[in-house]
Amino acid sequence: MYIIMLGGPGSGKGSVGGRVSEDFNLPHIATGDIFRAELKSETELGKKIKKYMDNGLLVPDEVVIETVESRLSQEDVKNGAILDGFPRTKDQAIALDKFLAEKGKKVDAAIELDVSDEDIVKRIVKRVICSNKSCGESYNTEFKPSKEEGICDKCGSTLIKRADDNEETVMQRLKVYHDTSKELLEYYKDTGVLYTVHPNIYSKTVLEDSVSEVETYLKNK
Ligand code: ADP
Ligand code: ZN
């Protein structure tokens, strides 16, 4: 199954996508994570994308598409994947459909997590993530604090703030999301694969509730 996670920055698509990936035994492919790793290792690709990421702007389509296609060509993806943060534009969606069609595959579901801008800002400015790349657990100092301040519950590594999780960049990322997501959502609505969840971010069980709603939908498809 090829499943796409849609939603604004901080909507929870990474956390929900990660859980669905474990439960359905499908690789979780997050373009933001791939790009952050490239930045950190200062690769050629990393140098190319830094200015976009630092400013909350979209990395150009051809760079993103090439990166994703190379990841999707790896052996572990042959039964499907959870795509998180890709596609972000209609052209990326069209490129993905074409790529999958050549392999006799298709997008099976596009899951949208619909959270208001106000809630997103509240969430992101208080978000901290695990510095250990293979863990990557996400916390919120107000809504979902770690047991010990600054330390990951799961692996004991230190918690850090993402460089682009400040109010100014979040506003920019939200603007970009609204500018590009409309036609993307329309695109998946037209192909009949769009399913929208409305997470209640003030609930302690928001992650579990969203995951279980998404998984129920996927199992009954
Ligand atoms: P968020 O959804 O919280 O903004 P991501 O981790 O998905 O964060 O992405 C971080 C940054 O990586 C984006 O602001 C953008 O610069 C770049 N990026 C990630 N995925 C894409 C994509 N599909 N197309 C263009 N740029 C992307
Ligand atoms: Zn951790």
Side-chain angles (χ1 to χ4, degrees):
M1 242 200 299
Y2 288 85
I3 301 160
I4 290 168
M5 301 300 305
L6 299 169
S11 60
K13 57 188 177 353
S15 308
V16 175
R19 289 278 297 270
V20 177
S21 142
E22 282 169 23
D23 295 343
F24 282 62
N25 199 19
L26 292 170
H28 182 204
I29 301 177
T31 42
D33 290 347
I34 296 177
F35 290 153
R36 274 185 289 282
E38 297 283 338
L39 273 188
K40 207 170 169 193
S41 322
E42 297 181 346
T43 60
E44 278 309 307
L45 175 59
K47 285 178 201 150
K48 219 191 280 183
I49 61 181
K50 186 172 174 9
K51 60 175 181 296
Y52 301 102
M53 296 198 59
D54 285 349
N55 294 300
L57 300 172
L58 290 184
V59 172
D61 280 345
E62 67 273 15
V63 177
V64 184
I65 291 165
E66 195 188 320
T67 305
V68 174
E69 289 188 349
S70 115
R71 179 67 186 90
L72 288 179
S73 304
Q74 288 169 16
E75 180 61 19
D76 63 322
V77 190
K78 65 179 189 304
N79 294 323
I82 312 288
L83 292 174
D84 167 0
F86 176 90
R88 278 265 224 298
T89 64
K90 192 174 167 187
D91 284 343
Q92 292 180 12
I94 293 168
L96 174 65
D97 280 354
K98 188 161 163 267
F99 179 85
L100 292 177
E102 279 163 11
K103 297 183 162 22
K105 313 241 153 96
K106 60 171 174 46
V107 168
D108 297 284
I111 309 290
E112 177 200 9
L113 299 181
D114 184 16
V115 179
S116 73
D117 286 7
E118 199 190 329
D119 287 347
I120 279 179
V121 174
K122 265 189 210 147
R123 229 187 198 185
I124 287 197
V125 294
K126 296 198 168 147
R127 169 159 80 178
V128 283
I129 58 169
C130 179
S131 57
N132 168 7
K133 245 190 291 165
S134 58
C135 171
E137 186 72 2
S138 168
Y139 298 86
N140 183 295
T141 54
E142 183 172 342
F143 304 117
K144 188 195 165 195
S146 54
K147 290 199 187 81
E148 195 184 330
E149 201 186 315
I151 304 291
C152 178
D153 292 351
K154 270 196 171 168
C155 75
S157 303
T158 48
L159 301 178
I160 51 169
K161 257 197 104 53
R162 255 172 63 171
D164 60 352
D165 275 353
N166 57 71
E167 193 157 346
E168 196 184 329
T169 315
V170 172
M171 298 309 274
Q172 177 58 37
R173 276 149 65 207
L174 272 171
K175 182 181 175 312
V176 168
Y177 180 69
H178 291 302
D179 286 348
T180 52
S181 64
K182 197 162 174 275
E183 61 172 10
L184 196 58
L185 294 169
E186 289 289 324
Y187 182 82
Y188 287 119
K189 203 169 165 191
D190 289 345
T191 49
V193 295
L194 183 66
Y195 181 77
T196 302
V197 179
H198 302 277
N200 170 13
I201 75 149
Y202 298 100
S203 159
K204 275 210 153 58
T205 56
V206 60
L207 178 60
E208 286 68 29
D209 295 346
S210 303
V211 168
S212 102
E213 184 179 341
V214 170
E215 293 188 345
T216 304
Y217 168 75
L218 293 173
K219 280 177 191 147
N220 293 318
K221 260 195 83 68

